[in-house]
């Protein structure tokens, strides 16, 4: 089971309502106001989903300040209770300008990664550097998507895959390879066939809505 949500900040994005003091000080590393706001929005969305998940399973009622979302050394979000107990959840966050995407699943299902990007042209050099020859052929062969849409969807799958690996861009994006984008209803999540280094079982989905592309990748060794 994967829970996901995307959203923009409402007028009441008050950190005091959902962050603990230790979490607020973590956010101080993001000095740029726009990036700080993205971080805050990602945290708000993550906590909303965590509360939804916990309240659907447990006898007690959870609130956002019962949960801490930390940052791993590599930058990945990690969820635990305020008393320090890991929540056994794989959590991933992405943002673009004033929009954030967040998803989570039980940790025993695998490692989850999500990504969100605006659809825009990419240079031939970008394609040469980050896409395999087979991926460039796949982009050219897409019938239901423009080249810009397909290129951005594959980039989202790569960044979601890098987050599922927990490495970020330390792993070369060419190592996350998309073999197929299954067509499906426009604007909905549709499956993709993706390989990730070191992951035997990989499930992936992509979505194009308006000028945005999104991807989710779930990998298990
Ligand atoms: C994770 C990565 C792929 C970032 O992706 P991005 O598209 O720049 O940014 P996104 O908004 O989609 O993702 C950022 C979120 O990824 C998550 N993240 C960061 N490092 C991560 C890691 N090692 N593993 C899993 N998740 C990670 C964090 O939740 C972060 O948001 P937060 O700091 O507010 O919590 C990362 O590798 C990175 O370092 N990017 C640098 C950006 C860059 O150099 N881009 C050049 C493109 S050619």
């Amino acid at each position: 089971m994967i829970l996901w949500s995307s959203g923009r900040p409402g007028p009441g994005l008050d950190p005091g309502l959902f962050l603990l003091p230790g979490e607020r000080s973590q956010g101080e590393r993001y000095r740029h106001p726009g990036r700080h706001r993205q971080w805050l929005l990602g945290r708000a969305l993550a906590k909303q989903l965590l509360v939804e998940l916990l309240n659907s399973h447990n006898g007690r009622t959870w609130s956002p300040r019962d949960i801490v979302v930390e940052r791993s050394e590599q930058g990945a979000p990690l969820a635990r209770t305020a008393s320090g107990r890991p929540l056994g959840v794989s959590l991933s966050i992405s943002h673009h300008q004033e929009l954030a995407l967040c998803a989570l699943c039980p940790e025993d299902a695998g490692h989850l990664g999500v990504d969100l990007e605006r659809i825009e042209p990419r240079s031939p050099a970008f394609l040469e550097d980050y896409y395999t020859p087979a991926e460039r052929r796949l982009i050219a062969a897409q019938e239901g998507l423009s080249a810009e849409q397909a290129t951005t969807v594959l980039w989202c799958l790569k960044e979601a895959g890098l987050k599922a690996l927990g490495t970020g861009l330390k792993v070369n994006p060419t190592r996350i390879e998309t073999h197929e984008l299954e067509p499906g209803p426009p604007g909905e999540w549709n499956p993709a066939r993706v390989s990730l280094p070191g992951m035997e079982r990989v499930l992936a989905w992509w979505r194009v809505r308006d000028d945005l592309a999104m991807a989710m990748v779930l990998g298990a060794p």
Side-chain angles (χ1 to χ4, degrees), residues 29-30 35 43 70-78 166 170:
R29 66 185 297 125
Y30 302 107
R35 179 65 179 93
R43 273 4 191 211
E70 293 177 316
R71 182 184 183 278
S72 79
E73 235 171 74
Q74 288 77 26
L78 301 174
K170 280 189 208 124

Side-chain angles (χ1 to χ4, degrees), residues 22-83:
E23 295 179 287
R24 291 178 73 166
S25 60
Q26 258 185 55
E28 285 162 15
R29 66 185 297 125
Y30 302 107
R31 299 259 164 84
H32 184 277
R35 179 65 179 93
H36 186 269
R37 199 163 160 75
Q38 286 185 333
W39 172 83
L40 208 53
L41 177 60
R43 273 4 191 211
L45 221 46
K47 289 204 170 190
Q48 196 182 305
L49 285 182
L50 286 160
V51 163
E52 192 181 321
L53 177 81
L54 292 167
N55 284 346
S56 71
H57 280 89
N58 291 282
R60 61 171 277 197
T61 303
W62 294 76
S63 78
R65 284 168 58 95
D66 298 326
I67 302 163
V68 173
V69 177
E70 293 177 316
R71 182 184 183 278
S72 79
E73 235 171 74
Q74 288 77 26
L78 301 174
R80 62 170 175 81
T81 64
S83 60

Side-chain angles (χ1 to χ4, degrees), residues 67-171:
I67 302 163
V68 173
V69 177
E70 293 177 316
R71 182 184 183 278
S72 79
E73 235 171 74
Q74 288 77 26
L78 301 174
R80 62 170 175 81
T81 64
S83 60
R85 187 167 54 83
L87 283 170
V89 161
S90 178
L91 171 68
S92 185
I93 299 171
S94 178
H95 0 68
H96 175 75
Q97 293 175 354
E98 288 271 289
L99 184 69
L101 169 67
C102 177
L104 56 80
C105 69
E107 216 166 43
D108 52 17
H111 306 282
L112 190 61
V114 297
D115 195 55
L116 164 69
E117 301 278 338
R118 180 186 296 282
I119 295 164
E120 55 194 6
R122 313 266 167 169
S123 69
F126 186 85
L127 269 104
E128 274 290 318
D129 285 349
Y130 297 120
Y131 296 69
T132 65
E135 286 182 316
R136 296 199 290 270
R137 286 194 295 277
L138 181 72
I139 289 167
Q142 287 304 306
E143 288 183 354
L145 297 176
S146 68
E148 285 172 18
Q149 287 173 325
T151 308
T152 309
V153 167
L154 263 66
W155 182 249
C156 284
L157 286 162
K158 287 176 187 291
E159 289 214 307
L162 293 169
K163 290 179 193 173
L165 290 174
T167 58
L169 286 167
K170 280 189 208 124
V171 165

